[in-house]
Amino acid sequence: MSFRTVIITKESKLSLRMNHLVIKSDTLVQVPISEICCLIIENPNITMTGHLMNVLTENKIMTIICDKKHLPQTFLHSVYGHHRQSRLIEQQMNWQKSHKERLWQLIIQKKIMYQKQVLNHYFRQLDLTMFDRYAEETTSGDSTNREGHAAKVYFNIIFGNEITRETEHVKNAGLDYGYQILLAIFARTIVSKGYLTEIGIKHRNEFNLYNLASDLMEVMRPLVDYIVLKNVVNEFEKDEKRKIVDVLNCKVVINNKLYYLVHAIEIYVESVFKYLSTGNEKYIKFPSWKY
């Protein structure tokens, strides 16, 4: 089972040799491909062989390339992720609207309660019963936008009056970094299951290549929020990024068992696809965690 997160920070040449990732910079390092879960390329001044890129996608290794600001910019994944991809995409195009709206309702209800969980940890003195109400009032498809109301209250509590979610601030930089890590995991998982990331259940932005990943990751955003609030205070540099990337080593509960985050997401995504294809809610398995 893969377990390593490899981060490239120096100008390097990456290649493949004997089924090992070879990193050549000031030194020469080799890492078995079978051990790599995630490859993050922070320094854009790298060269990479085509053989390596193909092996990374064949082994479903999450590969993230950062921009000049060292923020995640590009994901590397295969064009065809599953041998029955055509059939699965046809199913995706025909998912029933009622199933999608019900799924979105469940996702938002979970997200709101996980937001409350974050606030309970950091702001114990507050009365947070409004989040129970937001979750209870969430309707099919969230037609009354309880998600938006909850998010406004949630981020106002987290940030106070000093900043908003759109402000340039170290905490927002940390959130964006963590969310992009999550998005990469979900995008890779969706492609590996044979579905299109572009076709979402709620997100329908024609300029977003990852609508479906954006949908399914909503439930796990509060986990990133918790990590950012814990580790990002006055600056967002190398150490803070490493602590956010360490979310990959978190263990969460799904189906009454503990799994590393990446493997829990695979179970969650697979369960959602079973529900969308059948309409049977017993298939849905949401991850959960405690702080």
Side-chain angles (χ1 to χ4, degrees):
M1 183 180 293
S2 57
F3 61 91
R4 287 190 178 184
T5 298
V6 178
I7 303 175
I8 310 296
T9 60
K10 297 181 180 180
E11 184 172 342
S12 310
K13 180 180 179 180
L14 309 184
S15 59
L16 179 72
R17 183 180 180 189
M18 301 293 290
N19 217 30
H20 282 64
L21 166 63
V22 179
I23 307 166
K24 185 177 181 181
S25 57
D26 301 335
T27 58
L28 185 69
V29 178
Q30 298 188 52
V31 184
I33 290 291
S34 61
E35 294 183 1
I36 303 173
C37 170
C38 177
L39 173 64
I40 300 177
I41 301 170
E42 284 194 345
N43 191 320
N45 294 318
I46 62 100
T47 59
M48 184 187 304
T49 67
H51 289 303
L52 175 61
M53 287 190 282
N54 283 331
V55 166
L56 290 171
T57 57
E58 287 169 5
N59 286 270
K60 299 179 174 59
I61 294 170
M62 183 176 61
T63 304
I64 303 171
I65 303 174
C66 297
D67 60 17
K68 61 184 178 181
K69 295 180 180 179
H70 306 291
L71 297 175
Q73 175 69 32
T74 303
F75 309 146
L76 181 65
H77 55 73
S78 60
V79 176
Y80 301 105
H82 196 278
H83 64 281
R84 293 192 298 124
Q85 186 160 328
S86 296
R87 179 181 173 186
L88 294 170
I89 291 173
E90 184 178 0
Q91 289 181 3
Q92 182 178 3
M93 299 294 290
N94 291 293
W95 285 337
Q96 291 186 29
K97 182 180 179 181
S98 60
H99 295 168
K100 292 189 287 186
E101 290 185 343
R102 172 59 173 160
L103 176 62
W104 187 246
Q105 177 186 14
L106 295 173
I107 287 173
I108 296 309
Q109 286 175 331
K110 283 288 183 183
K111 178 184 178 181
I112 290 172
M113 296 314 296
Y114 290 160
Q115 288 175 327
K116 179 185 176 183
Q117 189 177 334
V118 172
L119 296 178
N120 266 328
H121 183 84
Y122 287 109
F123 305 93
R124 297 178 185 273
Q125 75 280 10
L126 296 180
D127 178 7
L128 301 171
T129 54
M130 76 281 284
F131 284 86
D132 298 308
R133 187 172 70 254
Y134 291 143
E136 291 170 4
E137 293 174 351
T138 302
T139 58
S140 179
D142 191 23
S143 58
T144 57
N145 194 27
R146 294 300 92 184
E147 179 197 15
H149 288 283
K152 182 177 181 180
V153 174
Y154 176 72
F155 284 111
N156 281 345
I157 293 173
I158 287 176
F159 292 139
N161 296 321
E162 53 176 321
I163 57 174
T164 68
R165 185 65 186 94
E166 289 73 36
T167 306
E168 286 192 15
H169 190 276
V170 291
K171 283 190 173 68
N172 272 328
L175 291 173
D176 291 339
Y177 188 85
Y179 292 158
Q180 286 294 98
I181 298 288
L182 265 189
L183 184 66
I185 301 172
F186 275 91
R188 184 215 64 162
T189 304
I190 290 166
V191 170
S192 73
K193 302 296 181 184
Y195 296 88
L196 294 176
T197 60
E198 295 89 342
I199 302 175
I201 59 172
K202 185 69 173 183
H203 288 81
R204 297 186 181 89
N205 188 333
E206 63 178 309
F207 303 109
N208 183 2
L209 296 176
Y210 304 106
N211 283 311
L212 185 55
S214 299
D215 288 327
L216 302 187
M217 69 175 274
E218 288 291 344
V219 75
M220 302 200 74
R221 283 179 183 263
L223 180 59
V224 170
D225 302 343
Y226 165 79
I227 292 172
V228 170
L229 288 173
K230 181 179 180 181
N231 296 293
V232 180
V233 181
N234 296 316
E235 60 182 11
F236 181 60
E237 301 296 339
K238 180 179 177 179
D239 289 344
E240 287 76 24
K241 290 176 183 177
R242 296 296 173 272
K243 289 172 182 176
I244 293 173
V245 169
D246 198 48
V247 69
L248 298 171
N249 295 317
C250 287
K251 285 188 174 182
V252 300
V253 176
I254 191 165
N255 203 23
N256 296 317
K257 294 181 181 179
L258 268 177
Y259 292 91
Y260 283 107
L261 183 74
V262 173
H263 302 294
I265 287 174
E266 288 188 12
I267 295 169
Y268 162 54
V269 169
E270 181 68 28
S271 76
V272 164
F273 290 154
K274 284 183 179 179
Y275 161 71
L276 288 168
S277 297
T278 64
N280 191 336
E281 289 185 26
K282 74 176 184 180
Y283 286 123
I284 303 175
K285 296 177 175 63
F286 285 110
S288 63
W289 54 87
K290 292 182 178 180
Y291 304 127

